[in-house]
mmCIF file of all heavy atoms in Angstrom:
data_model
loop_
_atom_site.group_PDB
_atom_site.id
_atom_site.type_symbol
_atom_site.label_atom_id
_atom_site.label_comp_id
_atom_site.label_asym_id
_atom_site.label_seq_id
_atom_site.Cartn_x
_atom_site.Cartn_y
_atom_site.Cartn_z
ATOM 1 N N LEU A 625 17.400 63.609 15.039
ATOM 2 C CA LEU A 625 16.284 64.102 14.230
ATOM 3 C C LEU A 625 15.393 65.042 15.031
ATOM 4 O O LEU A 625 14.882 64.699 16.100
ATOM 5 C CB LEU A 625 15.454 62.920 13.716
ATOM 6 C CG LEU A 625 14.237 63.267 12.850
ATOM 7 C CD1 LEU A 625 14.673 63.981 11.575
ATOM 8 C CD2 LEU A 625 13.433 62.008 12.525
ATOM 9 N N TRP A 626 15.197 66.220 14.488
ATOM 10 C CA TRP A 626 14.241 67.196 15.004
ATOM 11 C C TRP A 626 13.101 67.299 13.987
ATOM 12 O O TRP A 626 13.345 67.300 12.784
ATOM 13 C CB TRP A 626 14.897 68.571 15.158
ATOM 14 C CG TRP A 626 15.954 68.647 16.214
ATOM 15 C CD1 TRP A 626 17.237 68.203 16.121
ATOM 16 C CD2 TRP A 626 15.817 69.217 17.514
ATOM 17 N NE1 TRP A 626 17.919 68.453 17.280
ATOM 18 C CE2 TRP A 626 17.071 69.094 18.155
ATOM 19 C CE3 TRP A 626 14.775 69.835 18.197
ATOM 20 C CZ2 TRP A 626 17.302 69.553 19.456
ATOM 21 C CZ3 TRP A 626 15.000 70.303 19.489
ATOM 22 C CH2 TRP A 626 16.240 70.159 20.109
ATOM 23 N N SER A 627 11.854 67.409 14.485
ATOM 24 C CA SER A 627 10.751 67.487 13.522
ATOM 25 C C SER A 627 9.545 68.193 14.120
ATOM 26 O O SER A 627 9.377 68.253 15.340
ATOM 27 C CB SER A 627 10.344 66.081 13.054
ATOM 28 O OG SER A 627 9.842 65.323 14.134
ATOM 29 N N ILE A 628 8.709 68.723 13.230
ATOM 30 C CA ILE A 628 7.429 69.326 13.622
ATOM 31 C C ILE A 628 6.556 69.394 12.379
ATOM 32 O O ILE A 628 7.060 69.535 11.261
ATOM 33 C CB ILE A 628 7.620 70.739 14.232
ATOM 34 C CG1 ILE A 628 6.346 71.198 14.953
ATOM 35 C CG2 ILE A 628 8.015 71.743 13.165
ATOM 36 C CD1 ILE A 628 5.974 70.387 16.157
ATOM 37 N N THR A 629 5.264 69.267 12.592
ATOM 38 C CA THR A 629 4.300 69.386 11.496
ATOM 39 C C THR A 629 3.583 70.725 11.602
ATOM 40 O O THR A 629 3.174 71.134 12.702
ATOM 41 C CB THR A 629 3.283 68.235 11.537
ATOM 42 O OG1 THR A 629 3.985 66.998 11.395
ATOM 43 C CG2 THR A 629 2.256 68.369 10.421
ATOM 44 N N LEU A 630 3.434 71.396 10.457
ATOM 45 C CA LEU A 630 2.788 72.708 10.416
ATOM 46 C C LEU A 630 1.699 72.726 9.356
ATOM 47 O O LEU A 630 1.926 72.264 8.227
ATOM 48 C CB LEU A 630 3.807 73.792 10.060
ATOM 49 C CG LEU A 630 4.588 74.470 11.178
ATOM 50 C CD1 LEU A 630 5.688 75.328 10.581
ATOM 51 C CD2 LEU A 630 3.655 75.323 12.021
ATOM 52 N N PRO A 631 0.519 73.248 9.654
ATOM 53 C CA PRO A 631 -0.476 73.491 8.608
ATOM 54 C C PRO A 631 -0.094 74.774 7.844
ATOM 55 O O PRO A 631 0.039 75.836 8.451
ATOM 56 C CB PRO A 631 -1.784 73.682 9.383
ATOM 57 C CG PRO A 631 -1.484 73.303 10.805
ATOM 58 C CD PRO A 631 -0.025 73.536 10.988
ATOM 59 N N ILE A 632 0.098 74.674 6.536
ATOM 60 C CA ILE A 632 0.466 75.825 5.709
ATOM 61 C C ILE A 632 -0.553 75.965 4.583
ATOM 62 O O ILE A 632 -1.008 74.971 4.011
ATOM 63 C CB ILE A 632 1.890 75.667 5.136
ATOM 64 C CG1 ILE A 632 2.909 75.564 6.284
ATOM 65 C CG2 ILE A 632 2.257 76.836 4.226
ATOM 66 C CD1 ILE A 632 4.346 75.415 5.832
ATOM 67 N N GLN A 633 -0.906 77.193 4.277
ATOM 68 C CA GLN A 633 -1.917 77.458 3.263
ATOM 69 C C GLN A 633 -1.551 76.796 1.937
ATOM 70 O O GLN A 633 -0.431 76.919 1.446
ATOM 71 C CB GLN A 633 -2.073 78.963 3.063
ATOM 72 C CG GLN A 633 -3.194 79.365 2.121
ATOM 73 C CD GLN A 633 -4.559 78.944 2.642
ATOM 74 O OE1 GLN A 633 -4.828 79.073 3.835
ATOM 75 N NE2 GLN A 633 -5.405 78.433 1.769
ATOM 76 N N ALA A 634 -2.522 76.089 1.360
ATOM 77 C CA ALA A 634 -2.313 75.410 0.075
ATOM 78 C C ALA A 634 -1.879 76.418 -0.984
ATOM 79 O O ALA A 634 -2.370 77.550 -1.035
ATOM 80 C CB ALA A 634 -3.590 74.702 -0.352
ATOM 81 N N GLY A 635 -0.935 75.990 -1.857
ATOM 82 C CA GLY A 635 -0.469 76.826 -2.953
ATOM 83 C C GLY A 635 0.600 77.834 -2.588
ATOM 84 O O GLY A 635 1.049 78.605 -3.451
ATOM 85 N N SER A 636 1.045 77.856 -1.326
ATOM 86 C CA SER A 636 2.049 78.831 -0.906
ATOM 87 C C SER A 636 3.422 78.495 -1.498
ATOM 88 O O SER A 636 3.793 77.327 -1.635
ATOM 89 C CB SER A 636 2.165 78.863 0.620
ATOM 90 O OG SER A 636 0.957 79.260 1.228
ATOM 91 N N SER A 637 4.187 79.536 -1.830
ATOM 92 C CA SER A 637 5.594 79.385 -2.207
ATOM 93 C C SER A 637 6.422 79.690 -0.969
ATOM 94 O O SER A 637 6.416 80.823 -0.469
ATOM 95 C CB SER A 637 5.951 80.341 -3.341
ATOM 96 O OG SER A 637 5.230 80.008 -4.516
ATOM 97 N N VAL A 638 7.121 78.694 -0.462
ATOM 98 C CA VAL A 638 7.759 78.797 0.843
ATOM 99 C C VAL A 638 9.277 78.865 0.704
ATOM 100 O O VAL A 638 9.877 78.082 -0.047
ATOM 101 C CB VAL A 638 7.376 77.588 1.729
ATOM 102 C CG1 VAL A 638 8.079 77.674 3.082
ATOM 103 C CG2 VAL A 638 5.867 77.523 1.920
ATOM 104 N N GLN A 639 9.894 79.793 1.401
ATOM 105 C CA GLN A 639 11.334 79.821 1.611
ATOM 106 C C GLN A 639 11.569 79.731 3.118
ATOM 107 O O GLN A 639 10.836 80.332 3.910
ATOM 108 C CB GLN A 639 11.956 81.102 1.050
ATOM 109 C CG GLN A 639 11.851 81.242 -0.455
ATOM 110 C CD GLN A 639 12.617 82.448 -0.966
ATOM 111 O OE1 GLN A 639 13.642 82.824 -0.404
ATOM 112 N NE2 GLN A 639 12.119 83.057 -2.035
ATOM 113 N N TYR A 640 12.608 78.985 3.509
ATOM 114 C CA TYR A 640 12.818 78.781 4.942
ATOM 115 C C TYR A 640 14.267 78.421 5.226
ATOM 116 O O TYR A 640 15.039 78.036 4.340
ATOM 117 C CB TYR A 640 11.893 77.674 5.464
ATOM 118 C CG TYR A 640 12.216 76.279 4.949
ATOM 119 C CD1 TYR A 640 12.916 75.374 5.742
ATOM 120 C CD2 TYR A 640 11.819 75.865 3.678
ATOM 121 C CE1 TYR A 640 13.216 74.097 5.291
ATOM 122 C CE2 TYR A 640 12.096 74.588 3.218
ATOM 123 C CZ TYR A 640 12.799 73.709 4.022
ATOM 124 O OH TYR A 640 13.100 72.443 3.567
ATOM 125 N N LYS A 641 14.617 78.538 6.508
ATOM 126 C CA LYS A 641 15.905 78.100 7.015
ATOM 127 C C LYS A 641 15.731 77.607 8.451
ATOM 128 O O LYS A 641 14.761 77.970 9.130
ATOM 129 C CB LYS A 641 16.933 79.244 6.988
ATOM 130 C CG LYS A 641 17.736 79.344 5.709
ATOM 131 C CD LYS A 641 18.923 80.286 5.900
ATOM 132 C CE LYS A 641 19.876 80.167 4.723
ATOM 133 N NZ LYS A 641 21.093 80.999 4.923
#
Side-chain angles (χ1 to χ4, degrees):
L625 180 62
W626 293 78
S627 64
I628 194 65
T629 299
L630 271 171
I632 299 180
Q633 185 63 42
S636 298
S637 295
V638 178
Q639 295 186 32
Y640 68 101
K641 270 193 169 184

